[in-house]
Amino acid sequence: MAPIRVAMIIQGYLPRVGGAERQLAALAPLLQAQGVELSVLTRRYPGLAPFEIIGGVPVHRLPIPGPKAVASLSFTLSALWLLRRLRPHVIHAHELLSPTTAAVAAKRLFGVPVVAKVLRGGELGDVAKLQSRSSGISRLQRFRHEVDGFIVISKEIDEELAGVGVPPEKRFFIPNGVDLERFASVSPEEKAALRASLGLPDGPIALFTGRLVPEKRVDQLVALWPTIRATHPAATLLVLGTGGEEARLQQMAGGGVRFTGRIEDVVPYLQAADLFVLPSATEGLSNALLEAMAAGLAVVATSVGGAPDVIEHGDNGWLVPPDDRAALEAALLALLGDAERRATLGQRARERVTRDYALPVIAQRLYALYSHLVSGQPLATTDEGRRTNADG
């Protein structure tokens, strides 16, 4: 089959780092290997070049001058001009805001099929954001009619799209994927050596990695850590990442809490830790969670976003309700004191993501969806390529 040209529209891209950016960068070489010719259209933030090639992918950074409304209009118009020149077979928008707005406008002008990936559900998710805006309901209705395929990464998002009238045949379950070779589990001896090389203590280590923003609820972890230390005096909370909450969290922190700032390669820290914690109030499908599970870590996560899809409570991880500090504390106390249980949960977590969230499998599903939209070629199986609420 001839190469498929796909234009990816995303709010930010490398070297800016976030979950969506990292996922796209990880998938790019696998899609290219299947014959997909990628281009990335993104916003031009200060200090970044208008154009460069990253990992063999042309990255076009479009201007966003002035106030928010002007910046959005400028981005859309610039994207339309560039898409006319690129002539993609498929436009893949990441997020139901300006990326999908630009993609749908291009479809109207050029007749190109559009795929829209919904990045997050819940109160801070894509659908909720549109519903809270004066023009958002009409935009959702337009997207429902004109977007050819919505990529959902969790049951929560699938249900939200169903709730605004997106039919099952337009909702495709293609979750985020994880690189199983890079994020691998290690032996106890290797773990000990990694701790020594990273300057980490010998006691139990709980790890958070991600943006330090209010919805991640890292403040709850920091606030309860003195209680954790009362039972497990040698326990360490390791916080990887930066964000607007960083200074406040550092001021709150007592003994046994360490902040690393931004870490380029989180793999050795995951492999050196004993437990991964994600206390978020809202999520899409956390890449950090999938990476921790791939690394064979026992995980404690709130039951939001895609976490309940990938975690079976008590079998391959531990789920707690969001903003339930007592439940979070009880989970941490129990698992930090039970190395055998952590090992079992970590092994089963690795098995779970290996079966359903391996990066090559996700790339194959995307390629099948692109082929389906371009040529009408049937998807390989409805179980792999599509899921509605009834599929569960």
Side-chain angles (χ1 to χ4, degrees):
M1 183 174 177
I4 300 174
R5 295 190 299 274
V6 178
M8 301 283 192
I9 306 181
I10 188 169
Q11 297 277 21
Y13 195 62
L14 305 181
R16 292 175 65 91
V17 178
E21 294 88 345
R22 289 167 54 208
Q23 184 68 196
L24 177 50
L27 283 168
L30 298 177
L31 290 171
Q32 289 172 317
Q34 294 184 81
V36 178
E37 295 181 359
L38 293 175
S39 297
V40 171
L41 284 66
T42 187
R43 295 183 166 217
R44 188 191 309 165
Y45 292 100
L48 297 179
F51 174 82
E52 65 178 308
I53 295 178
I54 300 177
V57 177
V59 178
H60 305 264
R61 299 193 181 95
L62 309 180
I64 47 171
K68 188 173 183 179
V70 175
S72 181
L73 178 61
S74 174
F75 178 80
T76 298
L77 293 175
S78 298
L80 292 174
W81 178 85
L82 183 57
L83 289 167
R84 182 178 182 179
R85 181 163 61 87
L86 293 174
R87 299 176 62 193
H89 297 119
V90 177
I91 300 173
H92 185 159
H94 297 254
E95 194 181 50
L96 291 185
L97 297 172
S98 60
T100 301
T101 299
V104 165
K107 177 180 179 178
R108 287 182 170 182
L109 289 173
F110 313 128
V112 181
V114 168
V115 172
K117 180 177 181 178
V118 187
L119 298 184
R120 181 189 289 186
E123 61 183 18
L124 296 179
D126 295 14
V127 172
K129 285 180 180 178
L130 285 172
Q131 289 177 322
S132 69
R133 300 178 182 185
S134 58
S135 63
I137 300 299
S138 62
R139 287 171 72 185
L140 272 174
Q141 291 175 344
R142 188 164 66 250
F143 294 165
R144 182 184 67 198
H145 290 294
E146 301 203 31
V147 171
D148 298 278
F150 291 85
I151 292 176
V152 300
I153 59 176
S154 70
K155 289 182 182 178
E156 178 183 58
I157 290 171
D158 191 65
E159 290 167 358
E160 289 178 355
L161 290 176
V164 296
V166 177
E169 61 270 17
K170 282 192 173 186
R171 305 192 318 259
F172 297 87
F173 177 58
I174 305 179
N176 293 339
V178 62
D179 185 339
L180 295 169
E181 293 184 5
R182 181 174 174 225
F183 294 91
S185 57
V186 297
S187 68
E189 294 76 19
E190 291 170 314
K191 184 183 290 287
L194 280 169
R195 287 193 178 194
S197 68
L198 295 170
L200 298 176
D202 292 330
I205 295 176
L207 172 71
F208 168 87
T209 176
R211 295 177 300 123
L212 302 184
V213 292
E215 62 265 28
K216 296 292 186 180
R217 299 295 196 264
V218 182
D219 57 341
Q220 294 183 8
L221 274 178
V222 172
L224 62 78
W225 207 250
T227 305
I228 300 297
R229 296 261 289 183
T231 301
H232 302 292
T236 298
L237 173 61
L238 194 59
V239 180
L240 277 63
T242 60
E245 291 275 282
E246 186 172 5
R248 184 176 79 88
L249 292 170
Q250 289 179 340
Q251 290 176 349
M252 290 176 55
V257 181
R258 293 193 183 189
F259 294 84
T260 67
R262 179 176 175 178
I263 298 294
E264 293 294 335
D265 184 8
V266 302
V267 173
Y269 288 89
L270 289 171
Q271 293 171 334
D274 298 295
L275 184 66
F276 176 81
V277 191
L278 187 67
S280 303
T282 178
E283 284 283 351
L285 174 56
S286 168
N287 289 300
L289 174 66
L290 295 177
E291 291 163 359
M293 294 177 73
L297 271 181
V299 300
V300 174
T302 44
S303 53
V304 300
D309 298 343
V310 67
I311 295 174
E312 292 183 39
H313 177 68
D315 179 72
N316 63 2
W318 206 264
L319 291 173
V320 298
D323 290 319
D324 188 334
R325 298 190 185 198
L328 180 61
E329 179 182 309
L332 292 171
L333 287 172
L335 291 179
L336 285 171
D338 193 339
E340 184 176 348
R341 193 173 198 182
R342 291 198 309 267
T344 299
L345 291 175
Q347 178 183 345
R348 291 177 178 168
R350 168 84 180 177
E351 292 169 355
R352 176 73 170 100
V353 295
T354 298
R355 186 173 70 246
D356 295 320
Y357 295 85
L359 206 58
V361 173
I362 306 309
Q364 288 171 0
R365 291 188 190 178
L366 276 175
Y367 181 79
L369 178 55
Y370 298 153
S371 299
H372 169 67
L373 294 176
V374 171
S375 66
Q377 175 181 322
L379 292 171
T381 69
T382 54
D383 289 338
E384 292 184 356
R386 177 180 293 136
R387 183 199 64 198
T388 66
N389 289 339
D391 295 321

